[in-house]
Amino acid sequence: MDVVASLQETEIPLVIEPTVGAFVKLLEPHRAEIEGVARKTFKYGEAERHNLDVYYPSAEAIANGPVPVLFFIYGGGFSTGTRRFDPPLDLGYTNLGAFFAKRGILTVIPDYRLVPEVKFPAPAEDVRDALTWFLANTASVASAAPTPSFPLPTKPALFVMGHSAGAHLITSLFLLPSILPLGSPVRAALRGLIPQGGVYRFDFENLITRPGLLEDLYGSKEKALELMPIALLQNADKEVVQSWPETFALVSEHDPDRLKNICDEFAKALEGRLGKSVKHEVMKGHNHISPYWALYSGQGEEWGEQVAEWIKSKA
C-alpha cells in the first residue's frame, strides 16, 4: 500500500498504471496459490463476451454446509474491462475469485458487452442474463466442481458486488423492473448488494467519465440524466424499493472527492427511500483501483475480509 499512499493524484486515469504495477509485483509470489483455486468457464449467452468464470471453494472451506454465491461485476468505464487479463496482469480479478473462494464463497465473474458495441441497457441485461443462467444451471455448475457432491443448493444465497461501472450496472439493474421484473428468480435469490465506487449521478460540467462516453452509452445527455441510478432511485415505485436487498456500500478513501460525494449522496438517498440505515463504509488507504488488486497481496485486504464476513452473516 506504500505506492497508493505515495500518490498525490486521485483522478482515476492517473492512478491506474502505478497502482496496478505495484500490485502485480506483490501478487506474483502468490501465483501458485491463486492459480491453485479451481476455476471453470461457462457460456451464459450467444455473444462472444457472454462467458463467466466460477471459482470453487475447497472442501475444507465449505465444511459447514451450503455455499453462498458472490457475483462480481468489474468496472472499466463501460468501454473496457475483462474477467481475465492477459499476462503480466493475469492475476488481476483471478486474485479476487481466489480470495473469496478461499473463504468459502463460490465466486462468479462474468464478462459483459461494452461501448461502442452496445448501448444501455444491454450491459445491465448481460448481468441479468448471467445471473439468470447461473440460477437455472446450479446443477451443472456443481457437477463441474472438483469436490464431489459440491453443496450448491438449487436456490443459493446470492450476493452481487460491482465496482465503478459495475456498481452503476448492478444498481441500475435492480432499479429497473422493465429489465429485471419484480417476480424474477434473481430478485428472489438475492441476499445482498455490494456497490463500490459507482458513478450514480452524472454531472456533465464535471465529468468523471471521459467526454462523450455517456452519450455513447445512453444515446443522449437527456437519456443519461433520466436513467442515471440516483434518478432511478428517486423515481422508483414503492414495490421496487420494497424489493431492494440488504446493502453494503463502499467507497475508497482516495477516490476523487466528487466521486466520494456521489457515493455518499446515493447511500443517503437509499436510506431515505428505504426508511432505514444502510451499511456504508470507506476502504481505508485505497484509491479507486487498488481494492481488487490488493486481494491476495497481503496488503490492503481488510475490506475483503469485511465483505466476506458480511456475506456469511446474511447467507
Side-chain angles (χ1 to χ4, degrees):
M1 297 292 287
D2 290 344
V3 168
V4 177
S6 70
L7 296 175
Q8 299 300 310
E9 293 287 349
T10 61
E11 291 300 307
I12 297 167
L14 300 178
V15 302
I16 295 174
E17 185 174 345
T19 302
V20 173
F23 280 105
V24 163
K25 295 175 183 177
L26 292 172
L27 287 170
E28 189 59 38
H30 305 282
R31 176 176 289 274
E33 189 174 359
I34 293 170
E35 293 183 338
V37 172
R39 179 182 69 195
K40 176 74 174 177
T41 301
F42 296 90
K43 189 83 176 165
Y44 73 83
E46 297 181 356
E48 182 180 355
R49 288 183 61 86
H50 284 167
N51 300 288
L52 57 81
D53 286 342
V54 175
Y55 293 81
Y56 292 93
S58 66
E60 294 77 15
I62 55 174
N64 293 327
V67 57
V69 175
L70 172 65
F71 263 71
F72 174 66
I73 312 302
Y74 54 73
F78 305 104
S79 59
T80 65
T82 177
R83 72 189 194 284
R84 211 185 298 174
F85 294 101
D86 293 329
L89 309 181
D90 52 317
L91 293 180
Y93 296 152
T94 301
N95 64 325
L96 182 147
F99 179 90
F100 286 106
K102 279 285 187 178
R103 285 150 182 81
I105 301 167
L106 186 139
T107 306
V108 185
I109 307 179
D111 278 331
Y112 55 89
R113 289 171 295 167
L114 304 169
V115 170
E117 178 190 356
V118 296
K119 295 184 182 298
F120 189 86
E125 291 172 336
D126 287 352
V127 174
R128 174 203 63 196
D129 291 348
L131 291 162
T132 302
W133 180 92
F134 181 89
L135 292 174
N137 290 274
T138 53
S140 297
V141 173
S143 66
T147 303
S149 302
F150 189 81
L152 180 63
T154 55
K155 295 181 179 180
L158 180 64
F159 297 82
V160 182
M161 178 167 69
H163 172 240
S164 196
H168 168 285
L169 291 176
I170 66 171
T171 51
S172 297
L173 175 62
F174 286 96
L175 287 167
L176 283 169
S178 59
I179 301 175
L180 188 67
L182 292 175
S184 164
V186 173
R187 289 188 189 267
L190 190 66
R191 296 293 177 270
L193 278 186
I194 311 164
Q196 303 172 318
V199 183
Y200 309 114
R201 175 173 53 77
F202 307 143
D203 180 356
F204 283 92
E205 301 301 319
N206 193 15
L207 285 170
I208 294 173
T209 57
R210 68 165 173 79
L213 173 66
L214 295 175
E215 291 90 333
D216 292 342
L217 178 64
Y218 286 99
S220 68
K221 288 183 179 180
E222 293 74 20
K223 204 67 177 175
L225 293 172
E226 176 188 343
L227 293 175
M228 63 184 177
I230 191 73
L232 293 176
L233 176 60
Q234 291 167 343
N235 296 323
D237 291 341
K238 180 180 178 181
E239 292 78 8
V240 173
V241 175
Q242 289 175 336
S243 74
W244 191 266
E246 292 292 320
T247 301
F248 185 1
L250 288 159
V251 67
S252 291
E253 181 180 8
H254 301 301
D255 261 323
D257 285 342
R258 63 192 187 285
L259 180 56
K260 289 192 287 186
N261 291 339
I262 289 170
C263 291
D264 185 59
E265 177 189 356
F266 186 82
K268 289 179 178 177
L270 184 57
E271 289 179 333
R273 290 303 315 266
L274 294 175
K276 64 179 183 180
S277 63
V278 170
K279 188 174 177 65
H280 182 213
E281 296 189 6
V282 174
M283 294 180 281
K284 297 293 185 183
H286 282 289
N287 62 27
H288 193 72
I289 302 301
S290 60
Y292 309 94
W293 287 91
L295 298 179
Y296 240 113
S297 74
Q299 299 184 22
E301 299 174 311
E302 295 82 2
W303 76 269
E305 298 286 5
Q306 291 177 334
V307 167
E309 288 303 316
W310 185 79
I311 287 173
K312 291 178 180 179
S313 74
K314 301 299 180 182

